Amino acid sequence: MLRATLKGMAARKARLALTSIAIVLGSAFIAAALVLTASIQTTVDDLNGESYAGADVLVRPLEPETRGDRLVREGVTGETLAAIEAAEGVGEVTTTVSWMVNAIGDNGKIVGGLSPTIATNWGDESTDRELREGRAPETDDEVAVSAKFAADSGFTVGDTVTAYSESVENTEYAIVGVYGYPGGRDSIGGTTELAFTTPEAQRLVFGGEDAYSMVAVDAAEGVSTSELLATLESVVGAESEALTWKAYNAEVNAETAEATGLIGKFLLGFGLVAVFVSVFLIANTFSIVIAGRLKEIAMMRAIGAGRAQVVRSVLAEALLLGTVASVIGTALGIAGGGVLTSVVANMILDAGQSSLTVPPTAVLAALAVGIGVTVLSALVPAVRASKIPPVEAMREAVKADKPITALTVTGGIVTAAGAAALALGLTESLGGDTADLTAAAVGAGLVFVGVTLLTAWLSKPLVNALGLLWAWSFAGRLGRRNAGRNPRRTAVTAAALMIGVTLVTATATLLTSVKASISHYFEDNVKAELFVSGPITAAVAPTFDPALMDEIRAVDGVESAVELYYDPSDINGTEQRVYATSDLEAGIALYGGAFLEGGTTELADDEIAVNETSAETLGVGLGDTVTATFSRGDAPHEFTIAAILEDNESTDGWYLATAYTDEFYTTRPTSALVDVADDADTEAVADDVDAILADEPAVSVQNHEEFAAQTTVLYDFAILAIQLLLGLAMIVAVIGVVNTLILSVLERTRELGMLRAIGLTRGQTTRMVTVESVTIALFGAVLGIGTGIGLGWALQVALADTGVDVFAVPVGLVFGYLAAAVLVGLLAAIAPAVRASKVNILSAISYE
């Protein structure tokens, strides 16, 4: 039987190649994801290793407790630095002053976006810097910029750049130099940098204190690292710590490993999607191949082969095919992972070089998945083939489609169970006051699986309906009938596209609903017509001069205007959002909030207001006392709760008067609300306010629509990211449809010959196969869109209590998915249509 299996495989090289494509693809994605993750981590580790390379011991400040999310910088004091330099066994000592700032480019916008701009001191030797133009900064009003900053900002030597930090207002600096890094790199890790004199860097980072972010110490000749570490531990004091460079590097690598691990999981998700849909493709392919070999299998049964031998023969073929295809896929995945690593390292990390790392898990996982999926996918067709009696298998009638009754009943039961769980979870019927997210999630998953099982049953009515688009031509009618003649095969072929489209449609629907809910909230609840704020992606919160508020209030047409300060403060031992404003009542009103208990226009310096849920969380009420410590404050302050506010997404938190803003992380307002009089021109008022803010480039004036768009910009990035998932589904779908159609064409060789013999032209044959392909692809897309929108709606309803109270369908994306499905069908039809049109009529008629 083994020899017969090998000879049979050798006689069907084309079919083997088509079957192996899905296996290769699944294995390749798994290997590529794991190789890319490991290689990025190695590349990042190499970059991390460049920081303070050559130093023996590092001295850094002990971070404060979690208050302020570690945003406020502590430093190694000048006194500690002097003690380090005077310690026995100390050789060369270098200092680093470094933290995030915001800088304004020549377009008036903050440079860096999602990647921060780092301020550092030019004397910092934590990494090598190479001047490319100009010179180093010599005075406090000069700065050298990294080559990436120059490229991103549009500035060069001789220009002036504005920069600021949370403790320093907008300051102009003359650019005197542009620098890069070894290997021709423009940045380290994709960040932009500004290098100042040490005193100016200290002013930006530490508010002018004589402090340092890190002190790197080399051991004197004859002194070991352990001896130097022991010496420095005794002199650095209680507010700093000493550690070896190796320990520091291991710590940094562990922190970056967490981030790269998230990237790896995201990429691995792509691979798992490819594997999931590959199961359908491989199973479908084996079903078609075995259906075409029924006479061969019957002959083997007739001459003595047992059922077990038939099963072993098919599984042996699957094992051999899966092994070869998985090895090829793994090799391609490793190569692809290397290419992607190089792209990421150079285009995103700007590493100059990349390190290819192939973990054993990448090879083992790719081989295990490829071989396992192939063997499991072939098991059902193998058992099915072994059950056919030899006499029946020799008849043409045995090629009749297997009934889909069992599959339909199973799918109906699973769908009904999922719908019931979903309904119970969404209608609070499980005993909770809000939607039960766990029950809803389980229900949504079951509905998804159930619809997938019902695909064969749904294929006939949907395919017939979609086929009406082409029913005006004879070839179109034939293609429509071919697409619907085998529901099981059509369903499995379309499943790849259906699964991908369902996932991305559900996610896009949820994210679109979130965006619509935010926009709806601003339109219906927020009274203010104009907002003063900066981009939410800025590394340092954009701020503006509070003195400008009086000028804004004086603008003709402004009814009222209120500024807001923000700080992540400690209240009763927990981190809380704290705001400060000069007019609490006006601020709450402009945001559409309301007072539940108490109420005051202006809070006293020892009073505080809080929303209802935050008060309940801390177990306090009106008249109670709380203790608050602010990000830049050392001593706690006691406040009496003077008002309880209605819960409101935009106003949830704690509110103070402006007396303590000097202790806030950002000491200036981060935003302002402007209420325009009913009879005033909003655009004219916006222009006037914008003119007042001319010297504050970090912030701008925005209306409702603009502010909502800025608030939801991260959701736009997320929607863009999930489109990559659809791209993967499309690639798999093309391969699946091509595979199925070509095998179908081979199976229908005699039928095609008969059609050609009675007058079907080559052009009509091509159109017939193309219609069949496009109809199948559209069926998968339509089913996926419908299921995805339904699941997206369920997710939106489940999250309604969290503020996602508007359901919105991404109409533009839906039409885009349909267009992509048509393109998939057209591309997939090329090879099968050409093959079908070239069938030799006489050979086909006599085809056995």
Side-chain angles (χ1 to χ4, degrees), residues 117-133:
T117 294
I118 303 297
T120 187
N121 57 318
W122 178 258
D124 168 32
E125 296 185 8
S126 62
T127 188
D128 294 331
R129 293 182 175 84
E130 302 172 344
L131 268 175
R132 295 183 182 177
E133 299 179 49

Side-chain angles (χ1 to χ4, degrees), residues 59-111:
V59 178
R60 65 183 180 186
L62 284 172
E63 294 290 353
E65 296 181 0
T66 57
R67 188 179 78 254
D69 196 26
R70 297 173 60 182
L71 292 174
V72 178
R73 295 293 90 190
E74 302 291 338
V76 177
T77 64
E79 292 81 3
T80 301
L81 176 61
I84 292 171
E85 292 174 330
E88 185 177 353
V90 171
E92 185 178 357
V93 177
T94 58
T95 59
T96 298
V97 179
S98 178
W99 189 232
M100 297 183 293
V101 295
N102 277 339
I104 312 299
D106 65 352
N107 59 357
K109 297 182 179 180
I110 292 175
V111 179

Side-chain angles (χ1 to χ4, degrees), residues 446-587:
L446 289 175
V447 168
F448 177 53
V449 173
V451 172
T452 303
L453 294 174
L454 287 173
T455 306
W457 177 69
L458 293 170
S459 67
K460 274 201 171 183
L462 283 178
V463 165
N464 286 334
L466 292 170
L468 293 176
L469 296 172
W470 341 105
W472 50 270
S473 70
F474 177 69
R477 289 194 294 274
L478 285 177
R480 171 193 175 192
R481 291 181 178 180
N482 286 335
R485 69 195 293 183
N486 191 326
R488 184 184 295 270
R489 182 182 301 176
T490 298
V492 176
T493 304
L497 189 58
M498 175 261 183
I499 292 168
V501 173
T502 297
L503 293 175
V504 296
T505 302
T507 308
T509 299
L510 176 61
L511 294 177
T512 303
S513 297
V514 172
K515 291 181 59 179
S517 298
I518 293 174
S519 298
H520 180 264
Y521 170 80
F522 280 108
E523 292 174 2
D524 289 3
N525 297 286
V526 179
K527 184 180 178 183
E529 284 85 9
L530 298 176
F531 306 85
V532 176
S533 67
I536 62 173
T537 56
V540 177
T543 62
F544 61 94
D545 186 353
L548 298 178
M549 289 304 301
D550 290 335
E551 297 183 42
I552 293 174
R553 294 186 185 101
V555 170
D556 186 25
V558 171
E559 191 80 18
S560 62
V562 180
E563 80 284 7
L564 286 176
Y565 299 76
Y566 168 74
D567 187 63
S569 306
D570 181 297
I571 295 184
N572 284 5
T574 63
E575 187 169 325
Q576 299 286 324
R577 294 186 297 177
V578 174
Y579 302 91
T581 179
S582 59
D583 190 340
L584 175 64
E585 187 174 35

Side-chain angles (χ1 to χ4, degrees), residues 63 116 155 243 291:
E63 294 290 353
F155 290 139
L243 70 165

Side-chain angles (χ1 to χ4, degrees), residues 801-841:
D801 291 328
T802 66
V804 187
D805 53 1
V806 176
F807 174 65
V809 177
V811 177
L813 291 177
V814 166
F815 281 107
Y817 299 159
L818 291 174
V822 172
L823 179 62
V824 164
L826 292 174
L827 292 175
I830 294 174
V834 170
R835 184 182 185 93
S837 67
K838 291 182 177 180
V839 167
N840 184 285
I841 298 176

Side-chain angles (χ1 to χ4, degrees), residues 122 130-138 142-145 156-158 174-180:
W122 178 258
E130 302 172 344
L131 268 175
R132 295 183 182 177
E133 299 179 49
R135 58 176 175 81
E138 297 173 353
E142 295 179 340
V143 65
V145 303
T156 187
V157 173
I175 299 177
V176 297
V178 176
Y179 60 89

Side-chain angles (χ1 to χ4, degrees), residues 297-370:
I297 293 173
M299 289 297 298
M300 295 176 66
R301 292 289 311 281
I303 61 176
R307 289 177 55 183
Q309 287 179 303
V310 171
V311 173
R312 287 198 298 269
S313 172
V314 176
L315 292 183
E317 180 177 340
L319 177 63
L320 182 58
L321 179 63
T323 301
V324 174
S326 297
V327 169
I328 296 173
T330 302
L332 290 176
I334 292 172
V339 172
L340 290 174
T341 300
S342 179
V343 172
V344 172
N346 289 284
M347 296 185 65
I348 299 177
L349 300 178
D350 199 9
Q353 60 182 12
S354 59
S355 300
L356 177 61
T357 302
V358 183
T361 52
V363 177
L364 295 176
L367 291 176
V369 167

Side-chain angles (χ1 to χ4, degrees), residues 622-662:
L622 191 68
D624 289 342
T625 300
V626 295
T627 301
T629 306
F630 308 116
S631 294
R632 297 185 181 279
D634 296 323
H637 304 278
E638 285 193 354
F639 297 92
T640 300
I641 298 177
I644 304 294
L645 308 175
E646 181 183 50
D647 284 339
N648 182 308
E649 287 183 42
S650 298
T651 60
D652 284 355
W654 300 75
Y655 285 82
L656 297 166
T658 56
Y660 298 96
T661 54
D662 287 344

